[in-house]
Amino acid sequence: MSTVYFASPFGKGRYRQKYEIYAQLLSHATAIAGVHCFLRSAYPCTKKIYTFNTVQKITIAIDGYSSCGKSTLAKALAHKLHYNYIDTGAMYRAVTLYAIRHNWAGAGKAVNSVALINALTQIELHFELNAHTHHSDIFLNNENVEHEIRTMQVSDWVSRVSAIKEVREKMVNLQRKLGRGKGVVLDGRDIGTHVFPNAELKLFMTADPDVRARRRLDEYSSKGQYFTLEEVKKNLQQRDHEDINRKESPLIKAEDAVVLDNSELSREDQLEFVLKLINDLHLVAKKDTIG
């Protein structure tokens, strides 16, 4: 097993812990199995400016558990690389919101999957750039629901709604249409294993459960939604169980995905790690062979 060292661009002493990341990387046609990577800041390092091929665009798939910072990293990568960002989680949340509004989910009852499946043809989703946030907002039947989909109620039900086969089929088809031109970053649960199995770069993100809970609690608080830490932990545990054990496209790590535990990483550090990864692997576009 080989060892690759990535130096933090933020100088000596900011992070003294070595962050261990196990990976299986694909570079061109050659498989590099079992690369043992450490991200460390044992010595000062000047932040490197990377130059990327803007013509030969690739697909970047980011999967992982809830509240691991997938969307934060995905947005930063898309901005840095001038790629499109597709928030697949927002798509499932929008469908969940639709079900809740029609009383097909919520209030402790099971999802009325029959009613929701029959109504799927009436659900139209698209993204529009928000001029104030500079991020894409999700629209449900031409209504901006970016704020409404981020509530605890939607979080409680989204894993169950997204487990419905017909819902997943509709969302996956839309995701593939949005990403067929490459030059995209997608985050979700099954991007690298099902939606784009030939993505040139696959990341699988994880973090300590307590860290994840605190992050989600802070996110809710910043939006004026207040819960206890235990309530948030319970919600994350429930979602993990449902995501991992669902029949349709469960949450699993793709064999060729880089596992990134960002429990102790700053946003800047994890972005720098992935940019260096892309640069060092000389990733080039591969032909999609999905239906």
Side-chain angles (χ1 to χ4, degrees):
M1 180 175 284
S2 60
T3 300
V4 181
Y5 290 97
F6 296 95
S8 167
F10 305 103
K12 182 177 180 180
R14 179 168 181 180
Y15 295 103
R16 296 184 181 276
Q17 179 181 0
K18 291 180 179 180
Y19 306 104
E20 186 172 321
I21 303 166
Y22 293 95
Q24 286 184 327
L25 309 177
L26 292 181
S27 179
H28 299 286
T30 303
I32 308 173
V35 176
H36 197 179
C37 302
F38 292 96
L39 173 62
R40 68 178 185 180
S41 56
Y43 52 86
C45 175
T46 302
K47 188 172 183 179
K48 184 175 180 179
I49 298 176
Y50 301 105
T51 302
F52 300 100
N53 189 331
T54 58
V55 177
Q56 187 72 284
K57 294 183 180 295
I58 64 173
T59 298
I60 301 176
I62 304 178
D63 292 308
Y65 299 98
S66 175
S67 301
C68 286
K70 297 186 302 296
S71 61
T72 299
L73 176 59
K75 289 175 184 177
L77 277 172
H79 176 74
K80 197 75 173 180
L81 299 173
H82 302 289
Y83 279 18
N84 291 324
Y85 166 58
I86 301 173
D87 185 352
T88 67
M91 297 168 69
Y92 288 106
R93 283 176 170 271
V95 176
T96 302
L97 178 64
Y98 186 90
I100 291 173
R101 286 178 171 180
H102 287 79
N103 295 317
W104 299 332
K109 58 186 178 183
V111 178
N112 188 338
S113 58
V114 174
L116 181 56
I117 291 169
N118 290 334
L120 284 177
T121 56
Q122 302 171 34
I123 298 176
E124 296 294 333
L125 303 177
H126 74 274
F127 291 94
E128 290 185 17
L129 183 66
N130 186 313
H132 298 291
T133 65
H134 303 290
H135 296 307
S136 294
D137 289 351
I138 185 78
F139 280 70
L140 168 62
N141 293 336
N142 293 318
E143 176 193 356
N144 188 330
V145 293
E146 185 65 31
H147 178 72
E148 286 80 0
I149 66 171
R150 308 295 177 182
T151 65
M152 178 68 90
Q153 185 183 27
V154 172
S155 295
D156 282 340
W157 287 92
V158 64
S159 290
R160 279 166 275 188
V161 169
S162 63
I164 299 171
K165 179 181 178 181
E166 290 79 2
V167 171
R168 298 204 72 82
E169 288 176 346
K170 181 180 177 72
M171 296 301 101
V172 169
N173 287 336
L174 179 55
Q175 291 157 19
R176 286 175 175 170
K177 287 179 181 179
L178 292 172
R180 62 189 170 190
K182 295 189 179 291
V184 291
V185 185
L186 305 93
D187 69 305
R189 303 291 190 278
D190 62 347
I191 308 303
T193 56
H194 183 59
V195 183
F196 285 104
N198 290 325
E200 290 78 10
L201 177 62
K202 301 177 186 178
L203 302 173
F204 188 89
M205 296 184 65
T206 185
D208 179 86
D210 288 337
V211 173
R212 293 168 55 203
R214 287 194 296 271
R215 288 173 178 170
R216 181 50 59 91
L217 184 67
D218 290 342
E219 179 185 344
Y220 281 136
S221 298
S222 68
K223 297 175 180 178
Q225 303 175 44
Y226 301 102
F227 304 96
T228 66
L229 185 60
E230 288 304 314
E231 286 176 317
V232 175
K233 283 184 179 180
K234 183 178 179 181
N235 173 260
L236 293 180
Q237 290 169 355
Q238 173 188 311
R239 291 189 63 188
D240 287 350
H241 177 78
E242 292 171 345
D243 289 340
I244 293 170
N245 293 286
R246 70 178 177 228
K247 181 179 179 180
E248 299 297 327
S249 303
L251 171 62
I252 57 174
K253 183 186 80 68
E255 290 184 359
D256 53 344
V258 177
V259 178
L260 175 57
D261 184 337
N262 67 357
S263 300
E264 301 294 336
L265 294 180
S266 69
R267 297 181 179 185
E268 294 82 2
D269 277 348
Q270 66 180 7
L271 174 61
E272 173 71 9
F273 169 75
V274 179
L275 291 175
K276 181 168 177 58
L277 190 63
I278 296 171
N279 183 76
D280 289 352
L281 292 178
H282 306 292
L283 294 172
V284 296
K286 295 187 290 186
K287 185 177 179 180
D288 288 326
T289 57
I290 53 181

